[in-house]
Structures are given as structure tokens and as C-alpha cells.
Amino acid sequence: MKALDIFIGGKWRPGGGEVLQSHFPADGSLNATLNAASLDDLEEAIAVGERAWRAPAWRNALPHQRARILHHVANEIEARVDELAQMQSRDNGKPLAETRGLVLSAAGTARYFAAACELLEGELPTPRIAQVLTFSRYEPLGVVAAITPWNSPIASEMQKIAPAIAAGNAVILKPAEATPLMALELARIFEQAGLPAGLLSVLPGKGSVIGDALAHHPRVRKISFTGGTNTGRHLAHVAAEKLIPASLELGGKSPTIVLEDADIEQAARGICYGIFSSGGQACIAGSRLFVHQHVYAPLMARLLELTRGLRIGNPFTEGTHVGPLINQKHRRSVMDYVALAQQEGGRVLCGGEVPADPQLAGGSYFQPTIIEGLNNQARTCREEIFGPVLVAMPFRDEAELIAEANDSVYGLAAGIWTRDSGRALRLSEQLEAGTVWINTYKVFSVSTPFGGFKESGLGREKGIQGLKAWMQQKSVYLATGNGINHWCD
């Protein structure tokens, strides 16, 4: 237990808002206390950020000079992998094996955008006007807002901070209220790496207070948000009123498809990882399972065997597969969905309960759960549960499958399991999803754009697009001759 300062305009001090507490989901113990940011703190952070990004020393910094800071950040993260992974596990309860991966992912993201900002080129269009050279270049937006979720803080935060800084902006980061630890530690790492004061502020607090005020602020020139669809819809309205860009990575109800020729072992293991890793608390979790009727029985038998063998336990225990959910309130929500599924006619094949182990009684644990007997119209199949709950449904033909898989307001991700790569590619073209995995699931590359269709979001993170999303394009016309415009003769 310790008291934490927050990072406002390059200074560490207590926030002017209410007291927040960070709890360890495995047993409810207190990680830290801190004072949230106040609206006055927000005004200060934005004012300092506005001056910082306009300062000639930063505005005129060459790409390799910005890249050097990001390389320092990556080096520091890699040197502290175990320490940061433990901090991340304390923050949201994910097992160490997962948080180590997230920490290394954050380092890789910093390195990628360090390279990307050095390689980003403007454009030199083919001449269309005699004696006029035209070209375009990319410039920063200014002060930008990054609002992140609690399920993967260090990865989500770096996916916003790194490209925004590489592009030359000043970033105001509003982490999830439940998980402030990693955001504040990242601020310390950027500060140590030499980032000029004011270019990054971290303002913990309630989304309805700090997040909303940040989005509405007239000096904020972009909103980037990862989280629930309802909040994303609200922020899209705010951005539309201000006529500023918004990147929104929102909810999902992703279908996983097993065709009749799939490798049963490969599919079962991939499905298990895709829904139950992170305790199902992932926007891309493969929560709707469509299995061809010819392989439904063997696939389900193996999947149930694997699921029942998952080790539920303390995130710091080596070999733990599934840690606690983020808190007791969220666990109650997941339990309510399981009860709803049963009311809708679903049969719980495994899980569906709080673990009986008395050593887990103090945490917000929930068993990995598989349900069958529902159709795609059930609420359990249409609403995002954000927990370790999988609904399995057999299908007969491909047309039926595509219609069912696409019958969702969401379109974030999908998975296909088959030995026929040509058929898989044809199916991937018909699926309404921003990411389609074939014979794998929940793997990422920072060089590949990520985002959703439909109510799963707007815009893309990662890749060169993810850098340009934090910039605005300026076109320049340069007359190369001495011609005189005679219009006013």
C-alpha cells in the first residue's frame, strides 16, 4: 500500500480530485491510493501541453530525435519486464505469463513507431500545373486525448502514446479508474527517457468527469478511446460537434468458426485460448462458437476436456491459466449473463460458478464456462459479456453460417479453423469483421492495422495508418517560374 502522485503538465503532485484506490483483484487487498485529477488539473495539463507541442525545440525536432526518446522508453521497459509485469498483474489480476507478454508488446510498439516516424514520407504528386511543384507533408494535431481501458493497460496505453508522441503531439492520458498504476509508471518512464515536460500528462479519474471534460475541451484536437460501445458512441457525438477526428476501438461479440475439415486439436486449443485467456476480458474474445455439425461432438468433447483442465488461481502462481475478473461488480454481471442463458434455454456444460477453492474466496474469480442449446438470437449471443463465457452452436451449411456470424451489431474480429486455406480466404471476405484469424487466434502485429466494423469502432490503430491517424496532412504549392497572374488586368 502506498500513496501515489499523478503527473500533471510534467510535474508529480497529488491530484485535486477525490481519493481513488487500486485493488488487487485476486484478494481485494489495496495496491495504492491516490487523489484523482480535478478539472483544474485538466486545465493545467492542457495549457502546458499546448505550449509544449508548439515549443520550437519540439515542433522542429527531427524524426530521429523523437525516435530516440521512444527507443529509450523501449529499452527501459525491456530492462524491467518482470517488475512491470508484476505491477500490471497487481493492477488488473491477469496472470504473469500474460502480463509479461503485454509488457514486451509495449516495448515493441515503442520501437515500431520510433522507426515509423523516421520512415514516414510526404507525397509528391505527378505535376498537373505548369511551373508549379506540389507536395504534401504530415504535421501534428496538437493536444490529443487518449482514454484507455482496464483490461490491458500497458499495451493499450502504449498503442496510443507512442504514435501520438512520434507524430509530435502532446498527450493527455486518462487511464481507466480501476487501473491507474501502469499509466503513471509509463509517465515516469517517458520522463526518464527525456520527453520534454508537458508533452505527456496522466490524469486518473472517473470517465464521466475527467474523460468527458477532456473530450469536450476546445483545445483537444483528437479523441482516441478504447472501451465500451455506449461510451464510444457518446464520444463520437462529441467529436462530431467539434469537427475533430476520433479513433474508437469498442466492443465485440466475435464468431469463431470450425469447418468440417478442421484439425480438431488445433481448433480446440485455439478456441480455448481465444475465449478464456485474460478471463475472457478482451474485446476480441471469441465468444460465439459455430461448429459444423459433422465435427461438433468431437470438437466439443476435446474443448470441454481442455477447459476443465485450466488452472484458476493467483496471478503470481506460475502455471495459472485464468486469474480473477477485474472486480466483484463485474463478476456479478458475468454471473447474471450465465443465469440469463439458462433462462433462455441454454445448458451449462462446464463452469458457470464461483470456484469452490477457499484459497480463492477473497478474489473475484469465475470458472470458464461453456454453454450450448441457444441460437444466435439469444441475448447471451448478442450482448458483450466480457468474461469467460462461450456459447457453442452447430451449423449445417456455409450460407447459414455466414448469415449467423454476421448477424451482430459488432464486427471486431472472427476466427476460422480449416485445412482448406482457399475456402478460409473466401469466407474471410464475407465476414464483417476488422480482423480475421485463420488457424490461429488473438495474435497481433503492431505493423498490421487493427480496428472494427459496425458498432465495434471507427478508425485504426497500429501500422503506418496508426501513425498518420495522429497527424494532419498539409499540401504546399510552390511556383517554380516567374509567371504573373494577369486576372486583374
Side-chain angles (χ1 to χ4, degrees), residues 258 264 267-268 271 289-293 295-308 347 349-350 369-373 390-394:
V258 182
I264 296 298
I271 293 162
L289 175 60
F290 296 93
V291 185
H292 194 279
Q293 60 183 6
V295 294
Y296 186 82
L299 184 282
M300 292 302 296
R302 182 58 178 140
L303 181 57
L304 285 166
E305 183 181 24
L306 290 169
T307 302
R308 290 177 177 132
R347 298 182 298 277
L349 301 182
C350 70
T369 303
I370 299 178
I371 299 169
E372 69 173 6
L390 175 68
V391 178
M393 296 169 280

Side-chain angles (χ1 to χ4, degrees), residues 46-103:
I46 291 176
V48 175
E50 184 75 21
R51 293 193 297 270
W53 85 269
R54 292 183 181 277
W58 181 250
R59 190 74 189 268
N60 299 330
L62 296 174
H64 70 272
Q65 294 170 319
R66 292 176 185 160
R68 187 179 296 126
I69 293 172
L70 291 173
H71 281 301
H72 280 310
V73 167
N75 290 340
E76 179 68 10
I77 290 173
E78 289 172 345
R80 299 173 56 194
V81 169
D82 289 339
E83 175 195 349
L84 295 175
Q86 289 182 28
M87 183 180 295
Q88 175 77 98
S89 293
R90 292 285 319 182
D91 221 7
N92 72 352
K94 282 191 175 184
L96 275 176
E98 286 192 46
T99 56
R100 286 190 188 104
L102 291 171
V103 170

Side-chain angles (χ1 to χ4, degrees), residues 72-238:
H72 280 310
V73 167
N75 290 340
E76 179 68 10
I77 290 173
E78 289 172 345
R80 299 173 56 194
V81 169
D82 289 339
E83 175 195 349
L84 295 175
Q86 289 182 28
M87 183 180 295
Q88 175 77 98
S89 293
R90 292 285 319 182
D91 221 7
N92 72 352
K94 282 191 175 184
L96 275 176
E98 286 192 46
T99 56
R100 286 190 188 104
L102 291 171
V103 170
L104 290 172
S105 171
T109 297
R111 289 203 190 283
Y112 175 81
F113 284 110
C117 78
E118 288 204 63
L119 296 175
L120 182 65
E121 297 178 346
E123 297 174 11
L124 187 68
T126 302
R128 298 282 296 174
I129 307 171
Q131 295 188 320
V132 175
L133 173 69
T134 65
F135 62 91
S136 67
R137 62 191 180 204
Y138 292 92
E139 298 184 352
L141 292 164
V143 177
V144 294
I147 305 174
T148 54
W150 49 258
N151 59 326
S152 297
I154 192 169
S156 296
E157 285 152 5
M158 191 59 80
Q159 282 172 204
K160 299 181 191 301
I161 298 172
I165 293 297
N169 299 290
V171 184
I172 311 296
L173 173 63
K174 209 298 285 183
E177 184 180 353
T179 53
L181 302 185
M182 287 310 311
L184 292 169
E185 193 61 26
L186 280 177
R188 197 173 302 280
I189 290 171
F190 270 92
E191 182 184 38
Q192 293 169 350
L195 184 69
L199 290 172
L200 176 61
S201 291
V202 178
L203 306 181
K206 290 184 177 179
S208 58
V209 179
I210 297 301
D212 201 51
L214 178 60
H216 277 93
H217 199 285
R219 288 189 175 179
V220 170
R221 302 309 306 156
K222 176 185 169 74
I223 302 168
S224 180
F225 170 76
T226 299
T229 296
N230 288 337
T231 302
R233 186 179 288 109
H234 167 69
L235 293 175
H237 280 286
V238 175

Side-chain angles (χ1 to χ4, degrees), residues 441-475:
Y441 202 89
K442 205 177 175 184
V443 296
F444 292 101
S445 168
V446 68
S447 63
T448 304
F450 177 76
F453 288 11
K454 298 186 284 189
E455 291 188 19
S456 287
L458 298 171
R460 293 295 179 268
E461 292 189 337
K462 305 184 180 181
I464 296 298
Q465 287 175 255
L467 177 59
K468 291 180 179 179
W470 295 94
M471 308 181 86
Q472 50 195 344
Q473 194 170 15
K474 176 183 288 183
S475 295

